[in-house]
Amino acid sequence: MSTASLPSYHYELPDTEQLLAQRPRARRPQGNFVKNSRSGGVVLRLVGQNDDVTLPEYGRGGLVEGTVELKNVDSVLSVDVKIEGALRLREIAEGGTNTSLLCLDTKTLWTREFSPGPCPSSLSFALTLPMTFSDGKATYPLPPTFEEHLSGVPGFSANIDYTVSATVVRRKVSLFGLANTTVSTPFNFRPRSRPAFPLPGSLTTNFTHPSAIYNEDWALHREVIKAKLPRGDDININLYLPNTHVYCMNDVIPFHLFLISSAFSLASYLPYAPAVFRSSSGPYDYNNPGDLAFSKPGMTRIQLLRQTSVDVRSISKRATPPRGNNTDIWKTVQIGEGVFRGYGTDARREDGANLGGGRDWVAWYGELKVDRSVKIAGFKASGLHVKDFIVLSMHPEDPGKSPFSDARLVIPIKLTTDAWSTDEFGHEVGVAAYSDQSDPTLDEHPAPELTYDGY
């Protein structure tokens, strides 16, 4: 076959062509992280780092690459480099501890035994982080760098740390001479992930009643606020969230809340309604929550909660679990607060009906935002489990005088480090889907309590 008739191609555009689309490429940082030994005779240089980083950082399946540089090579017998990671759990009450080895890889860069002649002054290396680890009972994805503590009794401490080190073994030149020099540095392991699907479009406004809403892109979660008054009716909660339940921690998570009941019960509920953000100057500033005008203490709230739990069976010295079959110690913290918005009198359908409420229903919409301090997604590693929830709650300021009982709706979710994208960046960015077998469910885990940490 002749190739004379085939068109020619080039990676650069000629003047007669126009670029319509281009897939972005993930570029590796070009900076170095340098750690010196105390004497300055050994330098550990790690490449592929951002400039001015406090610690080196690697992602899923990351390549730990660099050089070991030596100033004096005359007495060197061998040079090794090692990466290792460990998960350490400790129970405060009983003093039990457990350490799981997450990764351990050692590579000999040079040894006099097999390489006669002087040791090179610069030795390069490249070690790949494993994708998984096993505790002897199950296999888990390699967890991120992590630290959490629950003080008091019962309590726990959980630490996940990684280090890379270089060891230079020398021949002793004197009685008091040092034979080994080790230079090491911890590094952050931050596996990246993203949702398998994008956030959906707006929930439909073409409805005559909230009970008639159906949108396959939005998941409906129900709960009931129990009425105490004889004349009062229970209030049905309909909370809509994007149905994937997997959200990027940098995205705004939308929600819609509908309360359905009699006019009398809805009027009685209004003092406990959500605080509504009112501003004509722009979007809500999540870093300045003082701008939010609360309707009343003990109001209805929607929060993002993170629960860290430790299974004491893996660390406790006790022969039997405490408090029956409950073997977990947990700590729950808030990692985000939702902002409610009212539909307003100008929010109407084409037929003129108000979207903010009707004779037997009221509605709000809003957004949830994860705190900027959150840098890692939830994970499970041996006896340690970090999981996230969206929690809608109604807690009256004075429960004894309230016409309603407390109500609480808990929805397990997954957070990811990256937003949804159609572009592929290889194994470094994993896709998080809610159908994973590791997903938290309400049947498997107790509902998180923000005000109580313990068993």
Side-chain angles (χ1 to χ4, degrees):
M1 176 180 176
S2 174
T3 60
S5 61
L6 296 178
S8 60
Y9 293 94
H10 197 273
Y11 66 90
E12 293 183 351
L13 291 176
D15 296 337
T16 57
E17 294 181 355
Q18 180 182 0
L19 181 65
L20 298 179
Q22 184 179 26
R23 172 175 292 180
R25 297 179 180 178
R27 295 184 177 180
R28 191 182 188 190
Q30 300 300 311
N32 295 335
F33 178 88
V34 179
K35 184 67 178 293
N36 294 276
S37 64
R38 291 184 179 180
S39 63
V42 180
V43 177
L44 176 63
R45 184 182 303 273
L46 302 173
V47 301
Q49 300 297 315
N50 290 315
D51 295 330
D52 302 324
V53 294
T54 305
L55 289 175
E57 184 169 314
Y58 300 95
R60 180 181 284 106
L63 185 66
V64 182
E65 187 178 8
T67 58
V68 178
E69 301 167 7
L70 310 174
K71 290 187 177 181
N72 182 3
V73 299
D74 294 339
S75 60
V76 174
L77 298 178
S78 66
V79 180
D80 297 328
V81 66
K82 178 174 65 175
I83 57 172
E84 57 184 331
L87 162 63
R88 298 177 177 85
L89 302 176
R90 183 172 72 91
E91 184 189 6
I92 294 177
E94 295 294 319
T97 60
N98 181 64
T99 300
S100 297
L101 190 64
L102 302 178
C103 62
L104 178 61
D105 191 3
T106 302
K107 184 176 182 179
T108 298
L109 305 184
W110 184 87
T111 175
R112 185 178 295 275
E113 181 180 358
F114 300 106
S115 301
C119 175
S121 60
S122 179
L123 298 163
S124 61
F125 65 88
L127 299 173
T128 302
L129 293 173
M131 301 291 288
T132 61
F133 84 98
S134 175
D135 63 354
K137 300 177 182 178
T139 299
Y140 306 91
L142 198 66
T145 303
F146 180 78
E147 181 179 1
E148 187 60 89
H149 303 275
L150 173 62
S151 58
V153 178
F156 68 84
S157 66
N159 297 84
I160 298 176
D161 49 64
Y162 298 88
T163 59
V164 54
S165 61
T167 299
V168 179
V169 178
R170 299 179 183 272
R171 182 178 63 253
K172 284 190 176 182
V173 296
S174 66
L175 181 62
F176 302 101
L178 295 177
N180 297 351
T181 300
T182 299
V183 54
S184 66
T185 178
F187 65 84
N188 288 324
F189 177 60
R190 300 283 190 239
R192 295 166 58 192
S193 58
R194 68 179 179 210
F197 303 97
L199 290 173
S202 299
L203 185 68
T204 179
T205 58
N206 186 24
F207 62 91
T208 57
H209 193 271
S211 60
I213 296 176
Y214 173 75
N215 188 323
E216 62 181 8
D217 293 330
W218 291 78
L220 171 60
H221 301 274
R222 292 188 172 98
E223 187 54 79
V224 176
I225 301 176
K226 294 292 185 179
K228 296 180 181 179
L229 298 178
R231 292 179 52 200
D233 295 306
D234 294 343
I235 299 177
N236 295 308
I237 298 175
N238 285 9
L239 176 64
Y240 287 88
L241 295 171
N243 68 353
T244 61
H245 297 92
V246 180
Y247 314 118
C248 172
M249 60 182 64
N250 298 317
D251 284 345
V252 173
I253 306 170
F255 67 86
H256 294 265
L257 175 63
F258 298 89
L259 302 183
I260 306 170
S261 188
S262 64
F264 175 80
S265 286
L266 291 178
S268 302
Y269 166 80
L270 286 180
Y272 309 98
V276 176
F277 172 65
R278 303 178 180 91
S279 176
S280 58
S281 59
Y284 173 65
D285 182 3
Y286 287 90
N287 295 319
N288 188 17
D291 289 344
L292 192 62
F294 292 100
S295 57
K296 183 177 180 178
M299 62 180 183
T300 300
R301 304 171 66 185
I302 188 167
Q303 301 162 282
L304 281 161
L305 302 184
R306 168 160 289 186
Q307 187 181 84
T308 302
S309 61
V310 172
D311 188 344
V312 298
R313 289 176 298 182
S314 63
I315 56 178
S316 179
K317 297 179 180 179
R318 288 179 283 227
T320 58
R323 299 195 181 186
N325 295 323
N326 195 342
T327 62
D328 286 348
I329 306 174
W330 67 86
K331 176 181 181 180
T332 305
V333 297
Q334 177 179 306
I335 60 171
E337 177 90 18
V339 175
F340 287 88
R341 303 178 188 274
Y343 281 95
T345 56
D346 57 342
R348 296 180 178 274
R349 296 200 315 265
E350 294 180 358
D351 60 4
N354 188 356
L355 295 176
R359 181 180 57 84
D360 61 346
W361 61 279
V362 291
W364 297 266
Y365 72 100
E367 308 92 27
L368 282 155
K369 181 69 174 178
V370 181
D371 291 342
R372 293 182 179 180
S373 60
V374 178
K375 301 298 182 182
I376 63 171
F379 64 91
K380 186 174 184 179
S382 191
L384 176 64
H385 200 172
V386 178
K387 42 194 179 289
D388 301 310
F389 303 84
I390 291 177
V391 178
L392 175 71
S393 60
M394 196 283 285
H395 295 301
E397 181 182 19
D398 189 346
K401 297 181 180 179
S402 171
F404 301 99
S405 299
D406 288 6
R408 201 155 174 265
L409 177 58
V410 181
I411 302 102
I413 65 167
K414 278 189 174 182
L415 295 177
T416 66
T417 58
D418 291 41
W420 175 83
S421 173
T422 57
D423 295 295
E424 297 289 342
F425 293 105
H427 65 272
E428 186 176 332
V429 182
V431 176
Y434 191 71
S435 59
D436 290 348
Q437 295 299 316
S438 60
D439 285 326
T441 64
L442 291 177
D443 295 332
E444 295 175 349
H445 306 288
E449 290 286 351
L450 183 61
T451 58
Y452 174 75
D453 297 325
Y455 286 110

